[in-house]
Amino acid sequence: MPSVPARVDAGGDPELAARLTAALRAASGDDIVIESLTHPFHSYPARMHPATSRELVMLVAESMPPRSILLDPFCGSGTTLVEARAAGLRAIGVDVNPLAVLVARAKTFTVPGRTRLKLQAVARAIAGEVLAAGRQARRATAEVAPLRGPTGFDPNARNRRLAAWFAPHVRRELEDLARHLDTLAKQDSELASVLTAALSAILYKVSSRSSDTDATWIQRNVARGACARWFLQRVELLVSGLQDLSATPGSPPEIFEADMRALGELVPAGSVGGVVTSPPYAGTYDYAEHQRLRFDFLGLRHRHLDQQEIGSRRGLTGLGAGAQWREQLGAAIDALAPLLAPGALAALVIGDSMGAGRAFFALDDVRAVLTSELALVAWASQPRPMLGAAERSAFGERGKCEHVILLRKLG
Ligand SMILES: C[S@@+](CC[C@H](N)C(=O)[O-])C[C@H]1O[C@@H](n2cnc3c(N)ncnc32)[C@H](O)[C@@H]1O
């Protein structure tokens, strides 16, 4: 039986609304785009669906002046940057999360073929040495290797935080991989960063943390040697995706670790020809918490994320949460507007959410913070299942939706 396309409500300019509807629908049932290029490399909470991103990049690019920039100011793991790179566009990404930046840079590392080969060769050598060291460590006479101490982290506190999450043999193997990457970083920091992203990609799979968004402790049986083997497989997956991504001429996007509300310091006014982005879903995620284990293990500093993440669950609490979110979203839109060239389109993928015991209706929130520089030209909204009684009561008859909202810069 042919599947019935999911219901989507849309409004505004009919032609553009139809394109937004197609972008939302592209995600349902897609199992091709999601596995293409470097998309499957690393998990990321609330990642944009690559098929939706592809449609939106195509739509926004149609009205971009030549050589102008496609911007994703909340780039996360870089889905839109990958699609922009595949389309041969000049792109800039910004995120306040150091892990997002590490992953997005790795996923768009479109360097000459010989550098990709080197990446693969170095990963093979490191995995080989770690496997050999593991075999050696199983001999009764072997000495216990010292644990790493990333600079800026108190080694004892780091140890206490990590100890519960990894079986001793897994921890030893992971630290050994990371030690090799520390050495590599002294000769080639770029390659070391890309390989660190590959190590990050397997970290939760070998830990006792249930998933990125669920910190429940679970028993996981990880075979000896699995960390080194999975690390290498992840690098091979990345290299193959990067090869496909490099088929279009162009260069990697520029990616900044920054608070997007300070974008004016990074991107010249009027230089952005289009935006495709997905801002945080109010009160739903807590990237600082979701990735704390990765930060601790990899030695990534996250003070700015802790202070500047907008829309986080930990930041939006109590009765003032609604007003606080609109203030944060308003500041984000205000930072974005001056960068856009006249006529530029900005596509926002954003979901209704529940936080601080109340519903946040994303389309209402975006409308409420728009200033005279930007017009809402079209939108499409797809109903989302509601998970429990609390959501059903908070969302009521309107239900909960995922939206694509299209803004145009006036002037
Ligand atoms: C919905 S996610 C984006 C996911 C991304 N589209 C992807 O496909 O991976 C929202 C992102 O906003 C980032 N963020 C939150 N506050 C920010 C801020 N003040 N400046 C820049 N990025 C921020 C979060 O770190 C998170 O990566």
Side-chain angles (χ1 to χ4, degrees):
M1 286 236 313
S3 63
V4 181
R7 196 188 100 212
V8 175
D9 298 320
D13 178 292
E15 214 174 293
L16 292 171
R19 299 282 298 271
L20 302 185
T21 302
L24 274 177
R25 287 213 171 113
S28 353
D30 167 73
D31 51 11
I32 294 176
V33 182
I34 200 165
E35 293 300 327
S36 70
L37 305 171
T38 50
H39 291 308
F41 172 63
H42 198 295
S43 64
Y44 198 78
R47 189 169 78 118
M48 194 187 298
H49 196 290
T52 297
S53 175
R54 185 167 293 183
E55 296 283 332
L56 294 177
V57 166
M58 279 193 302
L59 168 63
V60 161
E62 283 166 19
S63 58
M64 278 175 60
R67 302 288 311 141
S68 65
I69 294 161
L70 186 132
L71 173 70
D72 184 349
F74 297 101
C75 71
S77 61
T79 311
T80 291
L81 301 177
V82 169
E83 287 302 320
R85 175 63 188 81
L89 298 168
R90 256 183 92 196
I92 291 185
V94 176
D95 205 289
V96 74
N97 181 349
L99 184 83
V101 171
L102 182 84
V103 173
R105 284 193 183 137
K107 284 169 66 180
T108 52
F109 189 61
T110 49
V111 284
R114 61 179 181 283
T115 311
R116 281 198 302 278
L117 288 177
K118 183 170 172 199
L119 186 68
Q120 214 166 9
V122 171
R124 280 181 190 154
I126 291 177
E129 284 185 38
V130 171
L131 284 169
R135 283 192 289 273
Q136 172 71 19
R138 269 170 253 151
R139 300 208 180 109
T141 52
E143 284 180 26
V144 178
L147 291 177
R148 263 171 73 246
T151 10
F153 281 71
D154 171 350
N156 293 325
R158 173 179 180 268
N159 235 342
R160 271 195 306 277
R161 287 196 298 272
L162 291 175
W165 295 105
F166 300 100
H169 71 283
V170 171
R171 177 82 190 277
R172 194 182 51 239
E173 226 175 283
L174 288 172
E175 296 278 3
D176 205 10
L177 283 164
R179 213 185 339 267
H180 281 281
L181 298 182
D182 290 343
T183 310
L184 176 66
K186 292 184 192 125
Q187 300 136 26
D188 192 331
S189 60
E190 223 179 11
L191 279 199
S193 290
V194 175
L195 294 180
T196 302
L199 184 55
S200 167
I202 64 150
L203 206 60
Y204 281 13
K205 194 173 155 174
V206 299
S207 79
S208 285
R209 186 176 166 119
S210 206
S211 71
D212 291 56
T213 50
D214 181 355
T216 314
W217 192 96
I218 53 161
Q219 176 72 43
R220 239 197 274 267
N221 296 319
V222 180
R224 290 180 196 280
C227 297
R229 280 195 294 274
W230 289 344
F231 163 74
L232 183 56
Q233 280 169 14
R234 206 44 76 116
V235 176
E236 309 267 0
L237 180 76
L238 178 69
V239 167
S240 139
L242 288 172
Q243 194 170 339
D244 294 343
L245 196 56
S246 305
T248 318
S251 45
E254 273 188 276
I255 304 174
F256 299 101
E257 182 185 328
D259 181 345
M260 63 76 66
R261 290 167 291 183
L263 260 174
E265 293 163 24
L266 301 170
V267 181
S271 64
V272 172
V275 171
V276 175
T277 196
S278 176
Y281 292 17
T284 309
Y285 295 96
D286 198 333
Y287 288 92
E289 194 285 320
H290 298 334
Q291 283 142 0
R292 201 162 296 278
L293 187 55
R294 288 194 169 101
F295 296 151
D296 278 336
F297 184 82
L298 301 171
L300 297 176
R301 290 163 180 271
H302 49 88
R303 191 163 50 88
H304 294 301
L305 171 67
D306 293 349
Q307 292 165 354
Q308 295 162 345
E309 179 182 352
I310 68 165
S312 71
R313 198 166 52 208
R314 69 183 181 289
L316 296 181
T317 52
L319 288 176
Q324 221 180 329
W325 170 235
R326 285 196 177 177
E327 199 182 303
Q328 293 178 353
L329 189 63
I333 300 270
D334 286 350
L336 196 57
L339 310 181
L340 301 181
L345 291 174
L348 314 182
V349 176
I350 186 162
D352 295 338
S353 54
M354 178 140 177
R358 50 156 285 174
F360 289 88
F361 291 99
L363 190 52
D364 293 357
D365 289 334
V366 171
R367 279 187 208 274
V369 300
L370 282 187
T371 56
S372 56
E373 280 177 289
L374 292 170
L376 197 162
V377 285
W379 68 94
S381 309
Q382 188 169 42
R384 282 282 175 262
M386 286 183 279
L387 297 178
E391 277 197 329
R392 280 197 292 277
S393 131
F395 285 98
E397 300 249 302
R398 278 179 79 176
K400 183 181 174 191
C401 289
E402 178 96 354
H403 313 270
V404 189
I405 302 170
L406 197 64
L407 309 176
R408 177 176 278 131
K409 172 80 182 271
L410 302 170

